[in-house]
Amino acid sequence: MGVVYRARNVVLDRERAVKVIAGDLSHDRGFRERFRRESRLAASIEHPHVVPVYHAGEEAGRLYLAMRFVEGTDLDELIRRRGRLDPQHVAGIADQVAGALDAAHEHGLVHRDVKPANILLEGPPGREHAYLTDFGISKLVGAAGELTTTGRLIGTVDYVAPEQIEGNEVDARADVYSLACVLF
């Protein structure tokens, strides 16, 4: 969907992550509306295991999100480097991500793309603080006026629930299924 840059907020002298949305998406009217709506929803989640969104905007025709910069790696990279992780280690990460999903679900959000690359890890090995990120394809459960393109799979096929693949209505259970795939 875009490129993430490490940036410095010069006013506050703080590092941030800035996700600049791909140009073709930034120019699509439907995507722009979905981006505005979903960035507001993602920013509304206050939870220690959700990457906070500080600002969403547009500059020179490009959409962007300013978020907390997480100094570390993602679960996908950790698994590639280390291979299978210790079950206690996995349980600690899973507990944190499950808490983030609970917070999202309480706000009526379904993540729709829970996968190792969207789980950021910061801190010492085995005691990492996990953050769930990239609510960019989430949607408000039961919202009127579906903004997702019909007939298009939203998510990463290795982790999506069967009802998502079939194009059926999804709810929080789809995220729980995806988290179980991550754990597997």
Side-chain angles (χ1 to χ4, degrees):
M1 282 181 53
V3 178
V4 179
Y5 295 95
R6 184 178 190 165
R8 179 162 296 282
N9 179 316
V10 293
V11 174
L12 300 175
D13 194 32
R14 307 268 327 248
E15 282 192 333
R16 296 289 183 238
V18 177
K19 184 173 190 173
V20 178
I21 306 303
D24 56 332
L25 293 173
S26 287
H27 300 299
D28 178 87
R29 176 176 273 143
F31 181 84
R32 293 171 72 82
E33 176 58 32
R34 190 167 64 246
F35 172 83
R36 284 186 183 94
R37 186 174 127 233
E38 293 176 358
S39 60
R40 275 188 237 111
L41 292 170
S44 73
I45 303 170
E46 294 284 339
H47 191 274
H49 298 290
V50 173
V51 173
V53 174
Y54 299 126
H55 186 75
E58 179 180 351
E59 183 66 38
R62 300 295 292 268
L63 299 171
Y64 69 90
L65 289 171
M67 303 168 283
R68 181 185 191 286
F69 177 77
V70 176
E71 183 75 54
T73 190
D74 62 52
L75 183 58
D76 188 53
E77 178 62 28
L78 181 66
I79 292 168
R80 274 192 265 140
R81 277 197 327 247
R82 287 210 206 141
R84 177 168 270 171
L85 303 176
D86 176 75
Q88 283 186 299
H89 189 186
V90 172
I93 293 169
D95 182 53
Q96 294 175 65
V97 175
L101 286 172
D102 283 345
H105 298 155
E106 287 171 12
H107 280 80
L109 282 169
V110 178
H111 190 283
R112 298 169 67 103
D113 198 24
V114 178
K115 61 184 179 183
N118 284 338
I119 299 170
L120 305 180
L121 302 171
E122 183 175 63
R127 296 189 331 229
E128 297 95 344
H129 185 97
Y131 293 93
L132 184 59
T133 192
D134 203 359
F135 282 86
I137 63 170
S138 65
K139 71 171 197 166
L140 186 61
V141 175
E146 178 65 51
L147 294 176
T148 303
T149 305
T150 304
R152 186 171 171 198
L153 176 66
I154 303 282
T156 303
V157 74
D158 291 345
Y159 302 97
V160 296
E163 60 270 25
Q164 204 168 334
I165 291 171
E166 294 168 355
N168 297 327
E169 189 73 27
V170 297
D171 58 26
R173 293 174 293 184
D175 286 342
V176 173
Y177 179 93
S178 294
L179 181 58
C181 290
V182 170
L183 295 175
F184 177 76

